Amino acid sequence: MAASKPVESQSGSGFPRWQLALLVGTPIVLGVGAVYLWKRNKTKDTPGKSNGERTTPEGSANPVQGQGARCEGPGCPLDRAQGAKNKGNKYFKAGKYEQAIQCYTEAIGLCPRDNQTDLSTFYQNRAAAYEQQMKWTEVVQDCTQAVVINPRYIKALFRRAKALERLDNKKECLEDVTAVCILEAFQNQQSMLLADKVLKLLGKEKAKDQYKNRDPLMPSPQFIKSYFSSFTDDIISQPLQKGEKKDEDKDNEGEAAEVTESSGYLKAKQYMEEENYDKIISECTKEVESGGKYTAEALLLRATFYLLIGNATGAQPDLDRVINMEDANVKLRANALIKRGSMYMQQQQPMMSTQDFNMAAEIDTRNADVYHHRGQLKILLDQVEEAVRDFDECILLRPDSALAQAQKGFALYRQAYTGNSQSQVQTAMDGFEDIIRRFPKCAEGYALYAQALTDQQQFGKADQMYNKCIYLEPDNATTYVHKGLLQLQWKQDLDRGLDFISRAIEIDNKCDFAYETMGTIEVQRGNLEKAIDMFNKAINLAKSEMEMAHLYSLCDAAYAQTEVARKYGLKPPTL
């Protein structure tokens, strides 16, 4: 899409990204960011698979080292403590929580200190009663006592996590629920949903503070050229026209055009041809402030580069002005609507995004870019049939649009794949073969075909498609990341996979996807400090607040694992 980095599908697989196994099959057009931190697909016969809410106080704690000997007889303190606990359970079931608390308190007082399993259970039961009274501080205190006695007491850890969330202590809540997820081998939906919720809240809080104060960062030239290549009716991305050059430069083919100093916009266009992108915003500002001939174009070009550096706040007023210029070139206004619509999608405002794309289609019905980018929006919204119709309209207007052909091919594949129709899947795969035959120089066609082939576990052929991409676009870092991920899924070759991702960073040290992916792999390898470093590098390159929030979530999840390992000696299995 026209936004700096596309957002993930609104429904997709139904799992948050930190939970998923590495998905090589996510399409490039959707922004291949589907990653995970913990969950293991190979885990079998693991405990704790229940998805039910854990509210009852009954149940013994997990085995504890150092359990004292049990005495017998009516006068035994432990038997008396158990009797008090059983009485408390009856009160609990009857909803008489204050009486239950009194009984559990009696049980705690009677229980010999060396009977640790029973003692931790009594504390946890009292915490359950306090939970019913919404006395969150008391819940935390009693669960802490239970966990001190038995650090791997799942029920106490999870109850404390829920109470910490109520007390808005997200950091410690995350650590507790991380421990629970590891102990349960990521099989219980309740704990995983809480982890996801807290990670998202932490990510949003940190991104909100950090994003507005970040230093703007211009993406790599390859990223910028790729961005503009997705437009065919974008006036501002076209080379300088004859009438825009000085007379003495009209015969100097192959040389950057020299333009008059009086036009900031034309100077900005010259800088674009020279790939001197850092000077474009200031030159456009000169044109706007002077009220020059190309004010509308300068506003749109400035807004575009504001979007590229992640400054949506700066971009929106310029886009609004162009959209409202009824006497401006209709293609300028349509392009501004596409870019504002993409910006809204980045901000998770799909209704406003859809409105802008629809308005663009109304004012410029024969603009292929509108249908192309709206088609991508529809894919993100899982409206695949509508996406196919938009791609068809784009192709009707521009039959030579290889990009639209490739993306339509992927939309058809996705439609067949989600519909579990093997015959339609094969038809879609045959369609990809036709696309790469007709458009052999379209790297996107090979890349999307590779994604589909990976879904179908045709890894060898997928690898060939990525090699074609690299041949056509040797400076495209994203392709190297995908090829690296393929090595992991295909051959379980970590070293080779990381070599390709490292190559991506060498090609483009501003490739946030490469840092994010490498961080994810390092988490799986158990190298948490290196993973956190990679996530922080990706955070510094984030092109939207939403993207930064996601990356903070990944970083916080990795950091929580380091704390859980330090406190409890718990680590998830590593690759």
Side-chain angles (χ1 to χ4, degrees), residues 75-138:
C76 173
L78 181 58
D79 282 351
R80 291 163 59 201
Q82 288 286 0
K85 185 260 296 188
N86 292 337
K87 187 177 179 181
N89 287 355
K90 291 179 181 179
Y91 280 128
F92 187 98
K93 289 180 179 179
K96 298 179 179 180
Y97 302 117
E98 196 58 48
Q99 292 93 320
I101 289 168
Q102 292 173 9
C103 291
Y104 296 141
T105 302
E106 181 182 353
I108 291 167
L110 289 169
C111 186
R113 299 298 98 176
D114 58 349
N115 287 93
Q116 294 182 353
T117 296
D118 299 288
L119 187 59
S120 64
T121 301
F122 301 155
Y123 274 115
Q124 196 282 140
N125 284 5
R126 190 169 72 177
Y130 280 132
E131 182 181 54
Q132 294 300 315
Q133 295 181 326
M134 295 188 287
K135 294 182 177 179
W136 310 117
T137 300
E138 288 82 352

Side-chain angles (χ1 to χ4, degrees), residues 97-349:
Y97 302 117
E98 196 58 48
Q99 292 93 320
I101 289 168
Q102 292 173 9
C103 291
Y104 296 141
T105 302
E106 181 182 353
I108 291 167
L110 289 169
C111 186
R113 299 298 98 176
D114 58 349
N115 287 93
Q116 294 182 353
T117 296
D118 299 288
L119 187 59
S120 64
T121 301
F122 301 155
Y123 274 115
Q124 196 282 140
N125 284 5
R126 190 169 72 177
Y130 280 132
E131 182 181 54
Q132 294 300 315
Q133 295 181 326
M134 295 188 287
K135 294 182 177 179
W136 310 117
T137 300
E138 288 82 352
V139 173
V140 170
Q141 290 171 349
D142 273 1
C143 286
T144 298
Q145 291 292 335
V147 171
V148 167
I149 297 168
N150 179 9
R152 300 192 176 196
Y153 194 170
I154 292 175
K155 188 176 284 189
L157 282 164
F158 187 62
R159 182 158 276 123
R160 185 170 70 176
K162 292 186 292 182
L164 288 165
E165 183 204 5
R166 294 287 190 137
L167 293 169
D168 201 33
N169 188 338
K170 299 182 188 68
K171 179 178 177 294
E172 292 188 15
C173 169
L174 179 60
E175 291 173 14
D176 277 354
V177 77
T178 298
V180 172
C181 286
I182 294 172
L183 287 166
E184 294 178 327
F186 300 89
Q187 298 299 309
N188 191 292
Q189 188 179 16
Q190 290 288 328
S191 52
M192 291 174 72
L193 287 174
L194 179 58
D196 183 52
K197 178 182 178 182
V198 175
L199 282 168
K200 286 179 178 177
L201 289 172
L202 281 169
K204 286 180 180 179
E205 286 179 3
K206 291 184 177 181
K208 186 175 182 180
D209 292 335
Q210 293 297 320
Y211 191 76
K212 61 186 177 184
N213 297 319
R214 66 192 282 274
D215 293 328
L217 184 66
M218 189 67 67
S220 66
Q222 192 279 331
F223 182 96
I224 294 171
K225 285 185 283 187
S226 177
Y227 175 90
F228 281 112
S229 71
S230 67
F231 296 93
T232 55
D233 280 328
D234 184 0
I235 294 173
I236 63 168
S237 64
Q238 302 304 316
L240 284 167
Q241 303 299 308
K242 273 189 176 183
E244 297 171 333
K245 301 180 182 180
K246 289 172 64 176
D247 289 339
E248 58 266 32
D249 295 311
K250 290 179 182 177
D251 295 326
N252 295 337
E253 293 184 8
E255 297 180 12
E258 291 293 333
V259 299
T260 58
E261 291 295 331
S262 60
S263 174
Y265 171 70
L266 296 183
K267 191 69 175 177
K269 289 285 291 286
Q270 177 184 325
Y271 285 137
M272 276 191 71
E273 292 186 7
E274 297 170 353
E275 298 182 15
N276 193 352
Y277 300 120
D278 289 322
K279 295 182 178 180
I280 288 174
I281 289 176
S282 60
E283 291 300 330
C284 288
T285 299
K286 292 177 184 177
E287 182 79 23
V288 172
E289 290 178 348
S290 67
K293 175 183 176 182
Y294 299 104
T295 294
E297 289 86 347
L299 284 166
L300 183 55
L301 184 57
R302 184 171 69 176
T304 302
F305 273 87
Y306 275 141
L307 289 174
L308 285 167
I309 65 175
N311 184 1
T313 302
Q316 182 155 356
D318 286 354
L319 294 172
D320 292 346
R321 281 185 64 183
V322 176
I323 291 165
N324 293 323
M325 287 181 175
E326 295 186 3
D327 58 340
N329 186 311
V330 71
K331 293 200 177 299
L332 290 175
R333 296 175 64 210
N335 189 267
L337 282 162
I338 293 171
K339 289 170 180 173
R340 192 175 70 176
S342 299
M343 180 191 73
Y344 284 141
M345 196 63 196
Q346 285 286 330
Q347 296 170 347
Q348 294 184 300
Q349 300 183 66

Side-chain angles (χ1 to χ4, degrees), residues 540-560:
N540 292 332
L541 296 167
K543 300 179 184 69
S544 71
E545 187 176 321
M546 184 181 72
E547 183 181 338
M548 182 178 281
H550 159 67
L551 292 165
Y552 267 123
S553 294
L554 296 180
C555 193
D556 286 336
Y559 181 76

Side-chain angles (χ1 to χ4, degrees), residues 375 379 384 387-388 391 406-416 432:
I379 290 180
V384 184
V388 171
F391 289 134
Q407 290 170 352
K408 177 192 171 182
F410 185 82
L412 289 170
Y413 166 75
R414 181 169 174 180
Q415 189 175 40
F432 272 122

Side-chain angles (χ1 to χ4, degrees), residues 356-418:
D356 273 359
F357 278 106
N358 291 346
M359 189 186 304
E362 289 174 8
I363 68 171
D364 195 5
T365 57
R366 299 191 60 79
N367 188 325
D369 289 343
V370 175
Y371 303 104
H372 176 193
H373 289 269
R374 189 171 68 178
Q376 294 185 57
L377 168 70
K378 296 299 184 183
I379 290 180
L380 293 171
L381 296 174
D382 285 328
Q383 299 169 6
V384 184
E385 288 186 17
E386 294 181 32
V388 171
R389 287 199 293 270
D390 272 337
F391 289 134
D392 278 336
E393 189 66 31
C394 176
I395 293 165
L396 183 64
L397 292 168
R398 286 193 179 272
D400 60 343
S401 176
L403 198 57
Q405 298 270 7
Q407 290 170 352
K408 177 192 171 182
F410 185 82
L412 289 170
Y413 166 75
R414 181 169 174 180
Q415 189 175 40
Y417 184 75
T418 56

Side-chain angles (χ1 to χ4, degrees), residues 509-524:
N509 63 5
K510 295 179 181 180
C511 182
D512 53 336
F513 176 41
Y515 292 114
E516 176 185 347
T517 306
M518 185 171 282
T520 302
I521 294 171
E522 294 298 350
V523 168
Q524 296 173 62

